[in-house]
């Protein structure tokens, strides 16, 4: 059978992106799989509210643990649905009294002929390549046994009672069904351990059988790969269910849960950070404090070395010192100077209908200038960015400097003479390494007038 490899690869890429905390990838996974997952949860738990709780919890777990998935452990789809089905079983056990009676009233699941439906939907796929072609070769009871066990979160013994057959006969149906699928589909394991892992994925095994499975998992190197292989295969059963449409509010609920979880994690980090400063003193500090208490009791002064030790260990001292250094740095940075204070500023925008700021020009009292790109710009190897100045609104221009589009450019403006209000600066695109000219040869990209900051 040909599995949907494109879909599997897509889900794998989404899990890798989710592991890096890309929320858009989580939303894409939700859009792709949530309705199918909700359909399965709704069939297994009967109650819609419980199914929705499990769905949300599953996506939160995927968000938090996607980094534990790696390509070598097996199917991404199998991993996603194994998380979901584990949460379904956990919710069922935790709320057994609520769900057991409702589920007991549900009849055994009767198979629906999906092969013909798939042939109509995908006529290009050969019949022998579909899962349901081989699944429908089983008897109706064997199909029903596989489906009912997979869709039920209860024990196989309870499922047998729902079906009205002995437990031994149910297990025989499962064994025959798994052997038939393994013989028919070449990518499935045919050894007994692999078939027992398939029954484990179907669910509902007794404690004795689970102990046997635990031994197989411990001894079989590729047991996780086999489990996820069966898990992905059995998602084909979801096609037997009535599709479920999710309301957009479910994604909003998930987003709210993720935000609350993020705030909770940040708060926990803050508490852990704070606790590092509020832990009790070490044994060495206690000994020094005892020494201080003895000196105080005897009326003696604390030695300078001991004073410096406590000052060094004082958090308030370092906080005050840091604050003082910050204030000093700000004072140096912003203290006005007659020679270096900012005098002129020009904002150079593009010439579109909705101008965008491209560069900022700052000139101090000495005529020293800094011009900085307002956003990351990509330099070109065959052209230069030329800065120009004009005191008569562009009728005559004077070349100033060649600009580097990737950084702040510094240069002197003495050759321009005295800067005048509304003097206009331009940036043009010029051929590389051309002689200086009296006016731009290429197109003007940005322009803007200078404004004086001198209020006197």
């Amino acid at each position: 059978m040909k599995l949907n490899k494109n879909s599997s690869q897509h889900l794998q890429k989404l899990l890798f992106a989710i592991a890096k905390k890309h929320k858009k990838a989580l939303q894409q996974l939700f859009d792709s799989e949530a309705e199918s997952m909700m359909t399965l949860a709704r069939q297994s738990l009967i109650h819609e509210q419980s199914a929705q709780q499990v769905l949300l919890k599953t996506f939160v777990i995927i968000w938090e643990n996607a980094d534990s998935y790696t390509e070598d452990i097996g199917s991404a789809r199998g991993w996603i649905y194994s998380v979901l089905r584990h949460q379904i079983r956990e919710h069922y056990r935790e709320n057994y009294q609520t769900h057991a009676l409702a589920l007991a009233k549900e009849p055994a699941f009767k198979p629906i002929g999906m092969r013909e439906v798939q042939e109509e939907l995908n006529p290009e796929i050969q019949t022998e390549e579909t899962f349901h072609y081989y699944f429908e070769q089983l008897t109706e009871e064997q199909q029903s046994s596989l489906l009912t066990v997979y869709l039920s979160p209860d024990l196989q013994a309870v499922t047998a009672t729902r079906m009205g057959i002995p437990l031994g006969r149910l297990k025989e149906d499962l064994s025959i069904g798994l052997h038939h699928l393994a013989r028919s589909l070449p990518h499935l394991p045919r050894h007994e351990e692999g078939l027992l892992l398939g029954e484990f994925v179907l669910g509902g095994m007794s404690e004795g059988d689970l102990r046997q499975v635990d031994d197989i998992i411990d001894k079989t190197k590729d047991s996780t790969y086999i489990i996820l292989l069966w898990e992905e295969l059995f998602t084909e059963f979801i096609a037997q269910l009535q599709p479920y449409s999710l309301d957009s509010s479910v994604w909003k609920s998930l987003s709210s849960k993720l935000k609350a979880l993020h705030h909770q994690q940040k708060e926990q980090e803050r508490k852990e950070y704070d606790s590092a400063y509020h832990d009790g003193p070490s044994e060495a500090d206690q000994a020094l404090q005892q020494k201080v208490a003895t000196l105080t009791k005897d009326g003696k002064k604390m030695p300078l070395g001991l004073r410096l030790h406590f000052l060094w260990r004082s958090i308030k001292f370092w906080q005050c010192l840091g604050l003082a250094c910050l204030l000093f740095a700000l004072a140096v940075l912003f203290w006005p100077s007659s020679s270096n204070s900012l005098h002129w500023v020009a904002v150079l925008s593009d010439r579109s209908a909705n101008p965008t700021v491209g560069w900022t020009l700052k000139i101090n009292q000495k005529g020293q200038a800094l011009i900085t790109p307002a956003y990351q710009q990509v330099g070109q190897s065959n052209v230069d960015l030329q800065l120009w100045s004009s005191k008569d609104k562009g009728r005559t221009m004077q070349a100033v400097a060649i600009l580097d589009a990737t950084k702040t450019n510094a240069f002197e403006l003495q050759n321009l003479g005295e800067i005048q209000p509304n003097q206009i600066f331009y940036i043009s695109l010029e051929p590389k390494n051309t002689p200086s000219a009296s006016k731009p040869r290429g197109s003007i990209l940005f322009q803007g007038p200078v404004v004086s900051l001198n209020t006197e």
Side-chain angles (χ1 to χ4, degrees), residues 21-62:
K21 296 299 181 247
H22 294 169
K23 192 174 180 181
K24 186 176 180 180
L26 184 72
Q27 185 169 8
Q28 290 177 353
L29 178 63
F30 185 91
D31 293 340
S32 171
E33 298 297 325
E35 290 191 352
S36 174
M37 295 166 73
M38 181 65 178
T39 298
L40 176 58
R42 176 70 173 77
Q43 178 66 39
S44 299
L45 297 173
I46 309 302
H47 299 297
E48 182 175 353
Q49 185 177 3
S50 296
Q52 186 169 311
Q53 290 175 4
V54 166
L55 179 71
L56 293 175
K57 187 172 182 180
T58 298
F59 272 95
V60 170
I61 291 173
I62 291 172

Coordinates of all heavy atoms in Angstrom, one line a residue, residues 21-62:
K21 N 9.1 26.5 18.4 CA 8.0 27.4 19.0 C 7.5 28.4 17.9 O 7.3 29.6 18.2 CB 8.6 28.2 20.2 CG 8.9 27.3 21.4 CD 7.7 26.6 21.8 CE 7.9 25.6 23.0 NZ 7.8 24.3 22.8
H22 N 7.3 27.9 16.7 CA 6.6 28.7 15.6 C 5.1 28.4 15.7 O 4.7 27.3 15.4 CB 7.2 28.3 14.3 CG 8.6 28.6 14.1 ND1 9.3 28.2 13.0 CD2 9.4 29.4 14.8 CE1 10.6 28.6 13.1 NE2 10.7 29.4 14.2
K23 N 4.4 29.4 16.3 CA 3.0 29.2 16.5 C 2.2 29.0 15.2 O 1.2 28.3 15.2 CB 2.4 30.3 17.3 CG 1.0 30.1 17.9 CD 0.5 31.2 18.8 CE -0.9 30.9 19.3 NZ -1.4 32.0 20.1
K24 N 2.7 29.6 14.1 CA 2.0 29.5 12.8 C 2.0 28.0 12.4 O 1.1 27.6 11.8 CB 2.7 30.4 11.8 CG 2.0 30.4 10.5 CD 2.7 31.4 9.5 CE 2.0 31.4 8.2 NZ 2.6 32.3 7.2
A25 N 3.1 27.3 12.7 CA 3.2 25.9 12.3 C 2.1 25.1 13.1 O 1.5 24.2 12.6 CB 4.6 25.3 12.6
L26 N 2.0 25.4 14.4 CA 1.0 24.8 15.2 C -0.4 25.0 14.6 O -1.3 24.1 14.6 CB 1.0 25.3 16.7 CG 0.1 24.5 17.6 CD1 0.6 23.1 17.9 CD2 -0.1 25.3 19.0
Q27 N -0.7 26.2 14.2 CA -2.0 26.5 13.6 C -2.2 25.8 12.3 O -3.3 25.3 12.0 CB -2.1 28.0 13.4 CG -3.5 28.4 12.9 CD -3.8 29.9 12.9 OE1 -2.9 30.7 13.1 NE2 -5.0 30.3 12.6
Q28 N -1.1 25.6 11.5 CA -1.2 24.8 10.3 C -1.5 23.4 10.6 O -2.3 22.7 9.9 CB 0.0 24.9 9.5 CG 0.3 26.3 8.9 CD 1.6 26.4 8.1 OE1 2.4 25.5 8.2 NE2 1.8 27.5 7.5
L29 N -0.9 22.8 11.7 CA -1.2 21.5 12.1 C -2.6 21.3 12.6 O -3.3 20.4 12.3 CB -0.2 21.0 13.2 CG -0.4 19.6 13.8 CD1 -0.2 18.6 12.7 CD2 0.5 19.4 15.0
F30 N -3.1 22.3 13.3 CA -4.5 22.4 13.8 C -5.4 22.4 12.6 O -6.4 21.6 12.6 CB -4.7 23.6 14.7 CG -6.0 23.6 15.3 CD1 -6.3 23.1 16.6 CD2 -7.1 24.3 14.7 CE1 -7.5 23.1 17.2 CE2 -8.3 24.3 15.3 CZ -8.6 23.8 16.5
D31 N -5.2 23.2 11.7 CA -6.1 23.3 10.5 C -6.1 22.0 9.7 O -7.1 21.6 9.1 CB -5.6 24.5 9.6 CG -5.8 25.8 10.2 OD1 -6.6 25.9 11.2 OD2 -5.1 26.8 9.8
S32 N -5.0 21.3 9.7 CA -4.8 20.1 8.9 C -5.5 18.9 9.6 O -6.1 18.1 8.9 CB -3.4 19.8 8.6 OG -3.2 18.6 8.0
E33 N -5.3 18.8 10.9 CA -5.6 17.5 11.6 C -6.7 17.6 12.7 O -7.2 16.6 13.1 CB -4.4 16.9 12.2 CG -3.3 16.6 11.2 CD -3.7 15.5 10.3 OE1 -4.5 14.6 10.7 OE2 -3.3 15.5 9.1
A34 N -7.0 18.8 13.1 CA -7.9 18.9 14.3 C -9.3 18.3 14.1 O -9.8 17.6 15.0 CB -8.0 20.4 14.7
E35 N -9.9 18.5 13.0 CA -11.2 17.9 12.8 C -11.2 16.4 12.8 O -12.0 15.8 13.3 CB -11.8 18.5 11.5 CG -12.2 20.0 11.6 CD -13.0 20.4 10.4 OE1 -13.1 19.7 9.4 OE2 -13.5 21.6 10.4
S36 N -10.1 15.8 12.1 CA -10.0 14.4 12.2 C -9.7 13.9 13.6 O -10.3 12.9 14.0 CB -8.8 14.0 11.3 OG -8.6 12.6 11.4
M37 N -8.9 14.6 14.4 CA -8.6 14.2 15.7 C -9.9 14.3 16.6 O -10.1 13.5 17.5 CB -7.5 15.0 16.3 CG -6.1 14.8 15.5 SD -4.9 16.1 15.9 CE -4.4 15.7 17.5
M38 N -10.6 15.4 16.4 CA -11.9 15.6 17.1 C -12.9 14.5 16.8 O -13.6 14.0 17.7 CB -12.4 17.0 16.8 CG -13.7 17.3 17.6 SD -13.5 17.4 19.4 CE -15.2 17.8 19.9
T39 N -12.9 14.1 15.5 CA -13.8 13.0 15.2 C -13.5 11.7 15.9 O -14.4 11.0 16.4 CB -13.7 12.7 13.6 OG1 -14.1 13.9 12.9 CG2 -14.6 11.6 13.2
L40 N -12.2 11.4 16.0 CA -11.8 10.2 16.8 C -12.1 10.3 18.3 O -12.7 9.4 18.9 CB -10.3 10.0 16.6 CG -9.7 8.8 17.3 CD1 -10.4 7.5 17.0 CD2 -8.2 8.7 17.0
A41 N -11.8 11.5 18.8 CA -12.0 11.7 20.3 C -13.5 11.7 20.6 O -13.9 11.1 21.6 CB -11.4 13.0 20.7
R42 N -14.3 12.2 19.7 CA -15.8 12.3 19.9 C -16.4 10.9 19.9 O -17.2 10.5 20.7 CB -16.4 13.1 18.8 CG -17.9 13.2 18.9 CD -18.5 14.0 20.1 NE -19.9 14.1 20.0 CZ -20.8 13.2 20.3 NH1 -20.4 12.0 20.6 NH2 -22.1 13.5 20.2
Q43 N -15.9 10.0 19.0 CA -16.4 8.6 18.9 C -15.9 7.8 20.1 O -16.7 7.0 20.6 CB -15.8 8.0 17.6 CG -16.2 6.5 17.4 CD -17.7 6.3 17.2 OE1 -18.3 7.1 16.6 NE2 -18.3 5.3 17.8
S44 N -14.7 8.1 20.6 CA -14.2 7.3 21.8 C -14.8 7.7 23.1 O -15.0 6.9 24.0 CB -12.7 7.4 21.8 OG -12.1 6.9 20.6
L45 N -15.1 9.0 23.3 CA -15.5 9.5 24.6 C -17.0 9.9 24.6 O -17.5 10.2 25.7 CB -14.7 10.7 25.0 CG -13.2 10.4 25.2 CD1 -12.5 11.7 25.4 CD2 -13.0 9.5 26.4
I46 N -17.7 9.8 23.5 CA -19.1 10.1 23.3 C -19.5 11.5 23.6 O -20.1 12.2 22.8 CB -20.0 9.2 24.3 CG1 -19.6 7.7 24.1 CG2 -21.5 9.4 24.0 CD1 -19.7 7.2 22.7
H47 N -19.0 12.1 24.8 CA -19.4 13.4 25.2 C -18.5 14.4 24.4 O -17.3 14.4 24.4 CB -19.2 13.6 26.7 CG -20.0 12.7 27.5 ND1 -21.4 12.8 27.5 CD2 -19.7 11.7 28.4 CE1 -21.9 11.9 28.4 NE2 -20.8 11.2 28.9
E48 N -19.2 15.4 23.8 CA -18.5 16.4 22.9 C -17.5 17.3 23.8 O -16.4 17.5 23.4 CB -19.5 17.3 22.2 CG -18.8 18.3 21.3 CD -19.9 19.1 20.5 OE1 -21.1 18.7 20.6 OE2 -19.5 20.0 19.9
Q49 N -18.0 17.7 25.0 CA -17.1 18.5 25.8 C -15.8 17.8 26.2 O -14.8 18.4 26.2 CB -17.9 19.0 27.0 CG -17.2 20.0 27.9 CD -18.0 20.5 29.1 OE1 -19.1 20.0 29.3 NE2 -17.4 21.4 29.9
S50 N -16.0 16.5 26.6 CA -14.8 15.8 27.0 C -13.8 15.6 25.8 O -12.6 15.7 25.9 CB -15.2 14.4 27.5 OG -15.9 14.5 28.6
A51 N -14.4 15.4 24.6 CA -13.6 15.2 23.4 C -12.8 16.5 23.1 O -11.6 16.5 22.7 CB -14.4 14.9 22.2
Q52 N -13.5 17.7 23.3 CA -12.8 18.9 23.0 C -11.7 19.2 24.0 O -10.6 19.7 23.7 CB -13.8 20.1 23.1 CG -13.3 21.4 22.6 CD -14.3 22.5 22.4 OE1 -15.3 22.2 21.7 NE2 -14.2 23.6 23.1
Q53 N -11.9 18.8 25.3 CA -10.9 19.0 26.3 C -9.7 18.2 26.0 O -8.5 18.7 26.1 CB -11.4 18.6 27.7 CG -12.5 19.5 28.3 CD -13.1 18.9 29.6 OE1 -12.6 17.9 30.1 NE2 -14.0 19.6 30.1
V54 N -9.9 17.0 25.5 CA -8.8 16.1 25.1 C -8.0 16.6 23.9 O -6.8 16.6 23.9 CB -9.3 14.7 24.9 CG1 -8.2 13.8 24.1 CG2 -9.7 14.0 26.1
L55 N -8.8 17.2 23.0 CA -8.2 17.8 21.8 C -7.3 18.9 22.1 O -6.1 19.0 21.7 CB -9.3 18.2 20.8 CG -8.8 18.9 19.5 CD1 -8.1 17.9 18.6 CD2 -9.9 19.6 18.8
L56 N -7.8 19.8 23.0 CA -7.0 21.0 23.4 C -5.7 20.5 24.2 O -4.6 21.1 23.9 CB -7.8 21.9 24.2 CG -9.0 22.6 23.5 CD1 -9.8 23.5 24.4 CD2 -8.4 23.5 22.3
K57 N -5.9 19.6 25.1 CA -4.8 19.1 25.9 C -3.7 18.5 25.0 O -2.5 18.6 25.2 CB -5.2 18.1 26.9 CG -4.2 17.7 27.9 CD -4.7 16.9 29.1 CE -3.6 16.5 30.0 NZ -4.1 15.7 31.2
T58 N -4.2 17.7 24.0 CA -3.2 17.1 23.0 C -2.4 18.1 22.3 O -1.2 17.9 22.2 CB -4.0 16.2 22.0 OG1 -4.7 15.2 22.7 CG2 -3.1 15.6 21.0
F59 N -3.0 19.2 21.8 CA -2.3 20.2 21.1 C -1.3 21.0 22.0 O -0.2 21.4 21.6 CB -3.2 21.2 20.4 CG -3.6 20.7 19.0 CD1 -4.7 20.0 18.8 CD2 -2.7 20.9 17.9 CE1 -5.1 19.5 17.5 CE2 -3.1 20.5 16.7 CZ -4.2 19.8 16.5
V60 N -1.7 21.1 23.3 CA -0.8 21.8 24.2 C 0.5 20.8 24.5 O 1.6 21.3 24.5 CB -1.5 22.0 25.6 CG1 -0.5 22.5 26.7 CG2 -2.5 23.1 25.4
I61 N 0.2 19.5 24.6 CA 1.3 18.6 24.8 C 2.2 18.6 23.5 O 3.5 18.5 23.7 CB 0.7 17.2 25.0 CG1 0.1 17.2 26.4 CG2 1.8 16.1 25.0 CD1 -0.7 15.9 26.7
I62 N 1.6 18.6 22.3 CA 2.4 18.7 21.1 C 3.3 19.9 21.1 O 4.5 19.9 20.8 CB 1.5 18.6 19.9 CG1 0.9 17.2 19.8 CG2 2.3 19.0 18.6 CD1 -0.2 17.1 18.7

